[in-house]
Amino acid sequence: MLDSFEIVTTAGVVLWSRTQASVGAHVINSLIRDVFIEERTLPPADHRGAKPTYRKEGCTVKWTQAKDVGLLFVAVYQSLVHLTWVDTLLDNVRALFVGLYGDQLRTKLSSVVDCDTFGPYFDRQVQELEGQTGSRAPGRDLTPPDSSTDGDSADETAAPPPPPPRALLDTSADSTPSQTPNPSRPATPASRVLAARARPGGAGMSRRDRKKASGSPAPASSGDEAATKRKGKSAKKNRTWGELGAEEDDGDVVLDYSQSDLRDGGPEPEQLDEIHQDTWGRRTNRGEFVLKDLDEEMDAIIQEQHANTDRAAATAAAGGIVGSSLGVIGGYFRSVVGGKTLTKEDLAKSLKSMEEHLLRKNVAREAAVRLCESVERDLVGMKTPSFTTIESTLRTSMEKALTRILTPTSSLDLLREIAAVNAARPRPYVLSIVGVNGVGKSTNLSKIAFFLLQNRHRVLIAAADTFRSGAVEQLRVHVRNLAELSRREGGHVELFEKGYGKDAANIAADAVLHAQKHGFGVVLVDTAGRRHNDARLMSSLAKFAKLADPDKILMVAEALVGSDSVAQARNFNASFGPGRQLDGFIISKTDTVGDMVGTLVSMVHATAIPVVFLGTGQHYSDLRSLNVGVITRLLMS
């Protein structure tokens, strides 16, 4: 956590500041005196490109400058805390502040800058960067105070806290009501350790202390297991796990969390924190709640300022050639002047460089080659304008090709489709989620449900993943939390489940009938993950599409999947039987890849099916609609 962030002019005037903890003014004053006035030598940066670091009285100070407007941006935090995202925060805040208030700053004899509205921009940047890195607040001691033991147990390794789950929330049940997960924030390893400290037998205690605290053996994971053991066959033993694998048996450790408060009649969850609508969407004049795109305004400001900085630095170093990975493309045309008619030979080397650039952005080779061929067709025989560089011509042509691929040819307004279906027939609108294992199908289904609940829909979630252990319990937790949150907006959500081992297609069909009978407007069907190259698993999707007859089938795919995305998209698209195919993609985990968003291009190119939503995190509100312009700029950066 940052203690302080200051924006100061070179004359010493503080234009804007944000303080989280008390930091003496002498810390920044010492920085200015030691570094900028006395010009003392600083220690080398930790890694290439890192911001300079200054340490004073247990505080770490990092800074960056905007010399053209005479500003200094300073971040202060405790030296005990390792914040890897501070460098990025400094760059982004500099770009945003200069982009928003640059005209005022460049006005001659200006002594006052009206920057009172900068707070939300800064808070949003900190929130996004903290969410991406999972940083925790400083000063939190994760070591139990009673962990010191006598000589017998001092050498024993305490069981480590379990890792955070892949799903949106921590869906393992806990008998303590106060440990109900917060749906607006993902579970973290730190919170699991703190939870272990609060109950006997926690992960932070030694085995001897756990046995003393518990007093009696923990109950078996199921009440029927002890009674149904066959004679001569031992029951499955509990084991604790350390760094080197399984350790000795420990009967006091409870390994089964599938019971207790996940069942009906368990303890009531604590009230959940509200998710503010303005952080992830807005209401239209018609009262509909619509999703934001990828923070279009801030992205545009940051990219513009970074581009200006890069262009200025590259101009000074290389005589005007743009300093990015695409600069090499323009370098091949230094001998080409305006007014020349381009030939295939002129474009060969540059298009090869363009192809390599797209591959670095995670675009599949097949899609990259086709894009370059499209650019070649556009440019061959074209006469270059007199005052336009070849590099800008290539960029413009490639941006057009990317826009043509990513722009959908039909409406993606999900709310309008639901309203039309509900008005035309008594049957509810059915949306199904499919995809390979572990891409976040249940997570993104819950995000869509939360979006629909903001629009006051009655939603039924069908648990048709009857194969993966814990899949039904996971959806049960989601529905419990969504029901709590929906009370504030007027929507309604329930879960339709029939347990494990059943036929998914029949469950989906029964869920639709149940929804029609009880007045639900939307049915969201979760399905089991399956490998796209397993013909046996994929063949069941045809039966599913026939019995459930979904109005829309969305495939969830990871943004970091790589070139395998083409095969995944094509195999799923061809698995629903004659006359039926995918209707759209949800690209999950886009917050993990930065500007390497080429998976979107690869999947749309392979199937001509549009991207409907982007998953940008683990919160219910981390769902965005696609902005083609933003994605294109990221790919060409």
Side-chain angles (χ1 to χ4, degrees), residues 173-236:
D174 195 325
S175 59
T176 306
S178 62
Q179 300 302 327
T180 302
N182 185 341
S184 66
R185 290 293 180 268
T188 61
S191 63
R192 299 291 296 273
V193 176
L194 292 175
R197 291 176 55 188
R199 60 177 183 268
M205 303 176 66
S206 67
R207 294 195 186 92
R208 175 174 295 183
D209 289 341
R210 285 199 297 268
K211 292 180 180 179
K212 290 179 181 178
S214 63
S216 61
S221 61
S222 173
D224 297 332
E225 290 179 1
T228 57
K229 285 192 303 180
R230 287 179 297 176
K231 186 176 181 180
K233 184 175 181 180
S234 61
K236 184 176 181 179

Side-chain angles (χ1 to χ4, degrees), residues 200-367:
M205 303 176 66
S206 67
R207 294 195 186 92
R208 175 174 295 183
D209 289 341
R210 285 199 297 268
K211 292 180 180 179
K212 290 179 181 178
S214 63
S216 61
S221 61
S222 173
D224 297 332
E225 290 179 1
T228 57
K229 285 192 303 180
R230 287 179 297 176
K231 186 176 181 180
K233 184 175 181 180
S234 61
K236 184 176 181 179
K237 297 180 180 179
N238 291 338
R239 291 187 181 276
T240 56
W241 294 82
E243 296 179 357
L244 302 178
E247 299 178 359
E248 62 186 58
D249 299 345
D250 190 348
D252 295 334
V253 179
V254 179
L255 300 180
D256 184 7
Y257 295 96
S258 62
Q259 312 298 321
S260 73
D261 64 348
L262 286 182
R263 295 187 178 278
D264 295 335
E268 289 293 329
E270 64 182 11
Q271 187 172 359
L272 305 176
D273 293 340
E274 183 178 2
I275 300 176
H276 297 287
Q277 290 184 350
D278 56 358
T279 63
W280 68 297
R282 59 181 175 82
R283 289 210 175 271
T284 65
N285 295 331
R286 295 183 298 176
E288 293 181 342
F289 182 80
V290 295
L291 297 172
K292 285 184 178 180
D293 54 32
L294 289 176
D295 293 330
E296 183 176 0
E297 178 189 7
M298 294 203 328
D299 285 345
I301 295 173
I302 292 173
Q303 284 189 349
E304 180 181 0
Q305 293 301 316
H306 287 341
N308 292 339
T309 302
D310 292 342
R311 190 176 298 111
T315 300
I321 301 301
V322 176
S324 69
S325 62
L326 290 176
V328 132
I329 298 173
Y332 289 121
F333 285 94
R334 294 177 184 177
S335 60
V336 178
V337 296
K340 175 180 173 58
T341 300
L342 297 177
T343 65
K344 188 173 182 179
E345 290 73 20
D346 292 331
L347 295 169
K349 290 184 178 180
S350 294
L351 289 176
K352 183 63 177 178
S353 180
M354 178 73 78
E355 179 184 330
E356 293 173 356
H357 171 79
L358 293 175
L359 293 176
R360 285 193 292 270
K361 295 291 187 177
N362 208 21
V363 178
R365 182 172 294 277
E366 176 184 339

